[in-house]
Amino acid sequence: MAPPIPKVLMVAEKPSIALSIASVLSHAQMFTRRGSTEVHEFDGKFLGSPAHFRVTSVIGHVFSVDFPGKYQDWAATDPLDLFQAQVIKNESNPKAHICRHLSQEARGCRYLVLWLDCDREGENICFEVIKSTGFHINDTYRARFSSVTEKDVVKALDNLVRPNRDEALAVDARQEIDLKVGVAFTRFQTSYFQGKYGNLDSRVISYGPCQTPTLGFCVQRYLQINTFKPEKFWSLHPYIIQNGYEIQLEWQRGKLFDINVAMMFQKLVSEDGLLEVTEISEKQETKSRPVGLNTVNLLKVASSALGFGPQMAMQLAERLYTQGFISYPRTESTAYPPSFDFRDVGDHPPITPMRSAAEDMLGNDAWKLYQYICQHFIGTVSPDCKYIRRKVEFSIGGESFHCTGQHVVTKGFTAIMPWLAINDKNIPSFIKGQKIEVSKLELYEGSTSPPDFLTESELISLMEKNGIGTDASIPVHINNICERNYVQVQAGRKLVPTTLGITLVRGYQTIDPDLCLPDIRSFIEQQITLIAKGQVDHRHVVQHVIQQFTQKFSYFVKKIEDMDALFEAQFSTLTDSGRILSKCGKCLRYMKFISTQPSRLYCGTCEEVYYLPQKGTIKLYKELSCPLDNFELLICSMPGPDGKSFPLCPYCYINPPFEGIETLINTAKTGTSGKIGKGAGMPCNLCPHPTCPNSLVSQGVCACPECSGTLVLDPVSAPRWKLCCNMCNCLVFLAQGAHRISTTKDRCPECDSSIIEVDFNKKTTPLEDGATLHHGCILCDELLHSLVEMKHGRSFRHMSSRGRGRGARKGGRGRGRGGGKMMDPKMSFRDF
């Protein structure tokens, strides 16, 4: 009996790459099935023998580095302890179930082939996939490729290598260093400054080993502009007329900063009056064609010429790559290999077009980038631009002047890249020894000018020169300082620091300049490169760097008042910020609402800060109070017609009073996090208080069909009454236009959901005899069920077996309705 054909699992970094690889290797003869990501199956040959292939993908990193749960509470954790804390790897996107998907697809497979991006991050993901699938390293292979064309894919499969653990460890080291340093400094300075000032307008006062030196470059240029003192200068400009042309001659001295000396030379030239031609020279010069296009140069051109920020440029480039139009866009190399066969130079060959495209295939922005990549590539294999440069030198009164002209002989690459062209400049003919009268003599007065704000392109150059970030992370760091409100991108893509960004950098300069200078990060990157080459142990590097930053952090904490003095001069204290909104439950005095990020309440009497949801509008809620702490309740309303609203107690929101509630809070994905720290706070729709009329127990109606949450009545949604899930974005619209809808203490005998009371509008009531009041279950009552509309949902038939989903009642989950009589197609999940 013949042995079974071995199965080979292939894993790419993105679903689109997996599809391209499978299409090439199967000659488009494959079977595709659904999973967490699609799986493509086909038969072929592997290592010279028949094999059955499964090709699937991850969606970037499978795992992300983080601290254990006990370190997540900002208030309970000293940031200094984070430097020595253990780090763990959690699944990056638990809801995608990538780990489970990889494990399932690996069953029965003999070999693993990794088609991850060919850079350090890709190498790191290789070992994440190996961990998830359980393959032995001897059964694992690495494909190295630069594009997803048929030629490159087939060649990569014929030249498989082993994954590089050293490069993966280099990424592990960088991740741990950045996590510990960034989180420790960020937590400390955020808590310190947001607890004192009200108009910082930034939710998190973040620090990053790469992000902060990047900001430092921008602020350093701002300080140069701000402290610049203009200085007057003077220059001699004699004019002559030759063959009908007026020509301004350039002074060999350029400019002088002493008016008396300049006037002395003016007098000498004026008294002489005749210029003599002393030298005429011609020289052929060359403007070299561009080198191959790497990531950094692509980002610079995208910003300076195309108007795309680095983040957007990389997104467009990655899309062009995954669609097969260009080669891999993350590369440091500018040199083509001698064979021009795209074997690796550096981590990848330069970025090149891989197949032709038209604008309607790509869209406007992607087309602009693709067009430039094509022009640059053609330019790199075109001749150099050659031109004749002609210089005529003159003498008068002992001083030397000159004029120059140029004429293009061979356009070369500038024919395809006209913005780099050399412009012809004609000058008349002269004869050596010829004497020409000065027609006009000008003593030009000017002033030195300050440098301009850094452009994104200039910042990228500085980051590359100083070893800040990698070709992959440079766009992220620039994007971070913009999103943190440290700099603003203005016309010409110039980066102008905000008051917050300037104050932070000046504070670091006052306490410890190393914190915002590129030197330390440059050293770290050098060490990480040595890890990638296998020349140093990654644990030793991490320990050394963490030890350095631990000492710097301790000193920073001791000297924080020096930075605080700068903040005090620029920002308003909490006492002077905000507007009066609600009463404090401790002192019964009014607290101020500060709307600038992060949104919060401040009690000036108790000197306490209460962080609120960071999205939506905050208002006082009917002057109701929390039965637990006497704080006045607020209502948070999300924008838009489908936005949910929910009440909250400011104290309970950041200090959940019930054990175990943190698990629910961290599971909720409402995006309304208000606590400084991880996860959302506890609004009333998560509160299990048994008698409070605003709690989950009182306002919850039934289980959510989308998640483990509960659909809760939105108390201020009239006249578009709706239920909102307290864990996800599922919405259920109830009887529209009703005068009033409220929950009751009664439960449905069939599904255990809350019975609701609907007071219909007299003019539009569906009840007989003009009645308006109706009680029922939205799942089991035919009238109410027919009036329900669903958004972001699948079906109500499945909800009945889930009950209310609140966990506080007797009898566990509800009985459910089995086959049920409710088959209104309006509410069938199959039709949504």
Side-chain angles (χ1 to χ4, degrees):
M1 183 177 177
I5 294 177
K7 295 179 180 177
V8 180
L9 176 64
M10 293 183 163
V11 181
E13 191 156 326
K14 300 177 183 71
S16 56
I17 298 294
L19 175 61
S20 297
I21 291 168
S23 298
V24 167
L25 298 180
S26 71
H27 305 289
Q29 301 298 312
M30 60 191 178
F31 166 72
T32 298
R33 55 183 169 84
R34 290 187 177 277
S36 294
T37 59
E38 286 187 335
V39 182
H40 314 286
E41 296 196 49
F42 54 91
D43 292 325
K45 282 199 170 185
F46 181 70
L47 301 179
S49 301
H52 180 76
F53 292 94
R54 292 178 186 170
V55 184
T56 188
S57 75
V58 294
I59 44 176
H61 273 285
V62 182
F63 300 103
S64 58
V65 66
D66 204 350
F67 292 109
K70 66 178 182 179
Y71 293 102
Q72 298 296 347
D73 188 339
W74 289 35
T77 304
D78 184 343
L80 184 62
D81 295 339
L82 297 175
F83 288 101
Q84 304 306 321
Q86 175 193 4
V87 295
I88 58 175
K89 286 200 171 186
N90 295 323
E91 195 168 356
S92 296
N93 190 350
K95 296 187 186 303
H97 303 296
I98 294 297
C99 282
R100 185 180 70 189
H101 172 68
L102 292 173
S103 177
Q104 290 172 344
E105 295 304 326
R107 291 174 189 166
C109 290
R110 178 72 177 83
Y111 301 104
L112 173 65
V113 181
L114 299 159
W115 294 81
L116 286 309
D117 289 349
C118 295
D119 53 18
R120 289 181 193 166
E121 295 293 332
E123 219 65 30
N124 190 262
I125 301 174
C126 281
F127 285 89
E128 294 177 349
V129 173
I130 293 171
K131 177 181 177 181
S132 300
T133 54
F135 276 91
H136 192 275
I137 193 69
N138 291 337
D139 298 322
T140 302
Y141 296 89
R142 176 76 158 103
R144 295 200 171 274
F145 60 105
S146 301
S147 73
V148 288
T149 60
E150 181 176 356
K151 180 181 177 182
D152 267 20
V153 170
V154 171
K155 182 178 178 182
L157 188 61
D158 291 339
N159 295 274
L160 297 174
V161 296
R162 299 292 184 187
N164 188 322
R165 185 172 290 277
D166 291 326
E167 289 193 352
L169 289 173
V171 175
D172 284 343
R174 181 190 287 120
Q175 288 178 342
E176 183 172 348
I177 290 168
D178 288 353
L179 176 75
K180 289 184 171 181
V181 174
V183 173
F185 276 89
T186 296
R187 285 191 185 182
F188 172 71
Q189 61 190 30
T190 298
S191 301
Y192 186 89
F193 291 117
Q194 288 187 343
K196 296 188 70 172
Y197 302 102
N199 59 336
L200 298 177
D201 200 22
S202 183
R203 184 179 167 193
V204 177
I205 314 296
S206 64
Y207 176 89
C210 283
Q211 169 194 301
T212 304
T214 301
L215 172 62
F217 289 131
C218 300
V219 174
Q220 188 61 35
R221 176 61 64 88
Y222 163 84
L223 295 174
Q224 291 173 359
I225 295 170
N226 213 37
T227 57
F228 183 84
K229 294 181 178 178
E231 192 175 359
K232 286 186 176 182
F233 65 82
W234 292 265
S235 181
L236 278 180
H237 288 166
Y239 290 80
I240 60 173
I241 296 176
Q242 179 75 353
N243 298 340
Y245 291 97
E246 183 179 60
I247 302 173
Q248 176 191 307
L249 305 183
E250 299 297 322
W251 193 14
Q252 190 174 3
R253 294 183 187 273
K255 54 192 174 188
L256 297 176
F257 292 89
D258 186 317
I259 179 63
N260 294 321
V261 175
M263 290 179 70
M264 177 193 73
F265 285 119
Q266 180 189 27
K267 183 179 180 183
L268 290 173
V269 171
S270 179
E271 287 177 350
D272 190 322
L274 281 178
L275 285 153
E276 181 179 353
V277 178
T278 57
E279 190 69 45
I280 300 174
S281 59
E282 280 191 359
K283 182 181 178 184
Q284 180 170 298
E285 297 196 357
T286 299
K287 185 172 185 177
S288 299
R289 64 192 180 194
V291 295
L293 184 63
N294 64 11
T295 306
V296 167
N297 287 328
L298 176 67
L299 296 177
K300 288 160 63 175
V301 169
S303 176
S304 60
L306 305 181
F308 302 148
Q311 190 92 336
M312 181 180 177
M314 280 311 300
Q315 290 171 354
L316 292 171
E318 286 174 1
R319 195 173 85 204
L320 289 170
Y321 163 65
T322 57
Q323 292 173 335
F325 291 106
I326 65 171
S327 62
Y328 189 60
R330 288 192 174 126
T331 173
E332 298 174 358
S333 180
T334 59
Y336 298 116
S339 64
F340 205 73
D341 195 23
F342 298 103
R343 80 180 156 76
D344 287 346
V345 177
D347 56 348
H348 279 287
I351 304 165
T352 60
M354 301 307 297
R355 64 186 178 101
S356 61
E359 184 173 359
D360 57 356
M361 298 168 62
L362 304 180
N364 184 49
D365 290 342
W367 169 253
K368 287 180 181 177
L369 193 65
Y370 171 79
Q371 190 177 36
Y372 174 77
I373 292 169
C374 291
Q375 288 175 297
H376 189 104
F377 170 66
I378 297 171
T380 63
V381 294
S382 298
D384 293 337
C385 173
K386 295 181 179 180
Y387 61 99
I388 302 294
R389 190 168 185 270
R390 188 160 174 256
K391 184 177 181 180
V392 181
E393 299 177 46
F394 303 85
S395 176
I396 182 173
E399 290 300 296
S400 297
F401 298 87
H402 66 269
C403 66
T404 57
Q406 56 199 26
H407 173 66
V408 175
V409 177
T410 304
K411 287 187 176 182
F413 74 94
T414 63
I416 193 69
M417 304 175 78
W419 58 91
L420 297 177
I422 298 289
N423 294 320
D424 281 355
K425 181 184 177 184
N426 296 318
I427 57 173
S429 297
F430 293 92
I431 301 172
K432 188 174 181 180
Q434 179 182 355
K435 293 190 177 182
I436 306 168
E437 187 177 341
V438 175
S439 63
K440 181 172 64 176
L441 181 61
E442 177 181 81
L443 183 60
Y444 173 78
E445 178 182 308
S447 293
T448 55
S449 56
D452 208 339
F453 290 105
L454 278 181
T455 63
E456 280 176 335
S457 181
E458 291 169 334
L459 178 58
I460 292 167
S461 295
L462 285 171
M463 294 174 72
E464 181 190 33
K465 178 181 176 182
N466 289 275
I468 302 299
T470 63
D471 49 18
S473 65
I474 282 174
V476 177
H477 302 315
I478 295 176
N479 189 60
N480 281 343
I481 62 174
C482 295
E483 288 197 341
R484 297 285 189 268
N485 194 33
Y486 295 162
V487 301
Q488 294 178 341
V489 182
Q490 296 191 358
R493 302 209 68 82
K494 293 172 185 173
L495 300 170
V496 180
T498 63
T499 302
L500 178 58
I502 295 165
T503 308
L504 273 174
V505 170
R506 289 184 61 210
Y508 297 134
Q509 291 173 339
T510 301
I511 297 174
D512 182 355
D514 280 348
L515 294 176
C516 60
L517 290 174
D519 306 60
I520 290 183
R521 187 63 198 194
S522 181
F523 168 76
I524 293 172
E525 291 294 345
Q526 291 168 11
Q527 295 299 303
I528 286 172
T529 298
L530 294 179
I531 296 172
K533 293 179 178 178
Q535 297 176 5
V536 295
D537 181 80
H538 91 287
R539 291 306 320 165
H540 291 163
V541 171
V542 172
Q543 290 169 3
H544 175 68
V545 173
I546 293 301
Q547 184 180 19
Q548 274 191 322
F549 272 102
T550 302
Q551 296 172 352
K552 287 184 173 294
F553 178 79
S554 297
Y555 184 74
F556 181 73
V557 171
K558 288 179 184 177
K559 304 290 288 183
I560 191 63
E561 289 185 358
D562 293 348
M563 182 182 276
D564 188 35
L566 299 174
F567 270 76
E568 192 173 7
Q570 296 293 340
F571 300 103
S572 303
T573 61
L574 290 175
T575 306
D576 299 328
S577 302
R579 59 181 175 83
I580 291 173
L581 182 63
S582 64
K583 285 183 181 178
C584 170
K586 296 179 179 179
C587 66
L588 301 182
R589 302 288 180 88
Y590 278 101
M591 299 185 290
K592 285 187 172 184
F593 172 56
I594 299 165
S595 59
T596 53
Q597 285 197 341
S599 301
R600 56 208 189 275
L601 287 172
Y602 174 65
C603 178
T605 304
C606 303
E607 296 186 341
E608 292 280 354
V609 177
Y610 302 96
Y611 290 94
L612 302 172
Q614 295 306 301
K615 295 179 181 177
T617 303
I618 300 289
K619 293 182 180 179
L620 191 64
Y621 184 45
K622 302 178 181 178
E623 297 186 352
L624 300 174
S625 297
C626 175
L628 291 173
D629 50 46
N630 210 32
F631 275 71
E632 283 190 319
L633 299 184
L634 305 175
I635 189 84
C636 178
S637 301
M638 298 298 160
D642 296 339
K644 64 173 70 175
S645 299
F646 53 86
L648 64 117
C649 162
Y651 187 82
C652 293
Y653 189 75
I654 62 170
N655 300 288
F658 297 100
E659 290 185 8
I661 198 70
E662 287 83 1
T663 304
L664 283 176
I665 292 171
N666 288 333
T667 304
K669 60 176 185 179
T670 57
T672 58
S673 175
K675 276 202 313 184
I676 299 271
K678 188 175 182 180
M682 189 195 82
C684 296
N685 62 17
L686 282 175
C687 176
H689 193 288
T691 61
C692 176
N694 300 290
S695 71
L696 169 62
V697 175
S698 299
Q699 296 296 316
V701 175
C702 59
C704 174
E706 294 283 274
C707 70
S708 58
T710 301
L711 292 177
V712 182
L713 181 65
D714 187 329
V716 293
S717 57
R720 299 189 75 231
W721 294 98
K722 60 180 176 279
L723 304 178
C724 307
C725 179
N726 60 0
M727 303 281 278
C728 74
N729 292 324
C730 183
L731 299 178
V732 175
F733 288 92
L734 303 177
Q736 301 297 287
H739 176 65
R740 177 178 55 83
I741 297 181
S742 60
T743 57
T744 70
K745 294 182 180 180
D746 299 325
R747 295 178 186 161
C748 174
E750 294 197 46
C751 72
D752 201 35
S753 297
S754 284
I755 299 296
I756 66 170
E757 180 180 277
V758 181
D759 186 1
F760 289 102
N761 189 299
K762 291 181 181 180
K763 295 181 180 180
T764 59
T765 178
L767 302 177
E768 295 180 359
D769 302 324
T772 60
L773 206 59
H774 183 79
H775 292 74
C777 167
I778 66 165
L779 301 179
C780 305
D781 184 278
E782 292 191 35
L783 172 64
L784 294 183
H785 191 82
S786 69
L787 297 174
V788 169
E789 285 188 48
M790 191 78 174
K791 282 212 173 181
H792 313 299
R794 292 191 295 267
S795 168
F796 264 115
R797 287 195 305 118
H798 303 290
M799 292 170 58
S800 56
S801 64
R802 299 261 300 276
R804 298 169 74 191
R806 291 184 290 195
R809 61 187 180 282
K810 297 179 181 178
R813 303 285 181 183
R815 292 198 304 271
R817 289 180 55 87
K821 60 188 177 184
M822 301 308 300
M823 291 301 294
D824 182 349
K826 185 178 182 183
M827 285 313 306
S828 169
F829 280 118
R830 294 171 308 205
D831 300 319
F832 278 86

